[in-house]
Amino acid sequence: MHLNDPMLGRFITVEGIEGVGKTTNIQFIQDWLKNNNIPFIQTREPGGTELGEKLREMLLHGGDVCDDAELLMMFASRAQHLSEKIKPALKAGTWVICDRFTDSTYAYQGGGRELKLENISQLEKMVHAGLQPDLTLLLDAPVEIGRARAAKRGAFDRIEAEDLAFFNRVRNMFLSRAKAYDRYAVIDAAQPLKSVQSAIQLELQKLMTKADNL
Ligand code: T5A
């Protein structure tokens, strides 16, 4: 929706299974935006606000959280995030780079946990009807590669501790959404980092050109 309004900032989300390089490449995206004098904020989900970060801690490092509670906590964090941070930034013409957004909910709670997609879709409509990312960079790699990279970082959190079948369902859901929505760019994250970053840079340039031509 933002590409129709040149006064608004662009909304970029970065998605993918654990360990595919989201954190690493968000640093690259920030450097690219700085070099192009584009004002931006960088944020993440779950989290991004005081309430969101508390929910994140409970979601990733708390005790038992049932699947429906997990879904609702993701959207509670998102509602606060949109109201407090994302929407005000976009309105001020600031670009927003977000590490994960609603596509992760479809992938993890819909694909991984196998919760009903229509429930996720209803919550999506309630929390951000009419607002979608302008560009979603899906960093895609086989689960074994992502897991091996993530494992180097140390102990797994509550969600990371799920099995390979869970993460294969997550990955497949991301890929099927990428086929359905034009805003997605699928980047082969199994490549060496330099090639991944060249592909990301191409997508950022396309987005900037579209914005300039409005
Ligand atoms: N979640 C989130 C839901 O279930 N539902 C939701 O709605 C939302 C929003 C959040 C968790 O919450 C879940 C999903 C997650 O389980 P997170 O903070 O997003 O977690 O963390 P992770 O996905 O776990 O992020 P990671 O830090 O594990 O992975 P990254 O950021 O993708 O990977 P990164 O950049 O740290 O890289 C990992 C290692 O690989 C190397 C890096 O140097 C690093 O060592 N690397 C490469 N090596 C070789 N070649 C490349 N191309 C490389 N790219 C990176």
Side-chain angles (χ1 to χ4, degrees):
M1 89 179 240
H2 301 115
L3 290 174
N4 297 330
D5 186 344
M7 299 309 286
L8 296 178
R10 307 293 118 186
F11 184 21
I12 301 174
T13 55
V14 184
E15 298 280 6
I17 55 165
E18 345 286 303
V20 283
K22 292 178 300 301
T23 310
T24 311
N25 288 299
I26 283 173
Q27 187 54 56
F28 171 80
I29 295 170
Q30 292 189 65
D31 293 343
W32 187 89
L33 291 168
K34 273 184 210 149
N35 290 337
N36 284 281
N37 296 315
I38 295 173
F40 69 92
I41 57 162
Q42 190 263 313
T43 186
R44 67 175 180 179
E45 290 206 351
T49 63
E50 198 182 335
L51 174 67
E53 290 297 327
K54 284 183 184 153
L55 287 166
R56 180 188 177 92
E57 182 59 27
M58 288 189 239
L59 278 160
L60 302 186
H61 305 289
D64 187 37
V65 180
C66 76
D67 292 353
D68 284 344
E70 183 178 279
L71 171 65
L72 293 166
M73 286 163 82
M74 293 295 176
F75 271 105
S77 165
R78 184 161 302 133
Q80 187 70 23
H81 197 196
L82 281 157
S83 152
E84 200 179 310
K85 207 163 175 182
I86 297 177
K87 285 185 183 171
L90 294 174
K91 279 188 190 144
T94 302
W95 289 34
V96 175
I97 318 306
C98 194
D99 187 343
R100 299 189 181 280
F101 193 61
T102 301
D103 293 295
S104 273
T105 313
Y106 279 99
Y108 283 80
Q109 282 65 53
R113 302 273 188 237
E114 302 181 283
L115 298 184
K116 283 193 183 141
L117 298 184
E118 57 263 38
N119 288 345
I120 301 177
S121 167
Q122 289 228 327
L123 288 165
E124 179 183 30
K125 281 190 196 116
M126 179 188 155
V127 170
H128 60 95
L131 190 152
Q132 290 294 342
D134 296 300
L135 171 65
T136 297
L137 294 164
L138 173 59
L139 301 180
D140 178 61
V143 170
E144 292 76 4
I145 293 185
R147 303 282 288 161
R149 288 184 192 161
K152 282 192 212 148
R153 230 190 13 220
F156 284 153
D157 64 37
R158 196 181 62 82
I159 296 178
E160 284 170 338
E162 292 295 336
D163 61 15
L164 280 183
F166 176 94
F167 288 105
N168 275 312
R169 289 197 298 277
V170 172
R171 182 187 183 206
N172 290 337
M173 181 63 76
F174 274 132
L175 288 171
S176 83
R177 288 180 63 75
K179 281 200 187 120
Y181 299 104
D182 286 347
R183 65 182 162 83
Y184 264 91
V186 182
I187 310 286
D188 176 2
Q191 306 174 88
L193 196 54
K194 277 239 172 282
S195 311
V196 173
Q197 294 181 338
S198 301
I200 291 175
Q201 185 166 333
L202 214 62
E203 297 302 328
L204 294 172
Q205 272 159 349
K206 275 196 234 165
L207 183 65
M208 194 167 71
T209 309
K210 270 197 224 165
D212 285 350
N213 287 339
L214 283 172

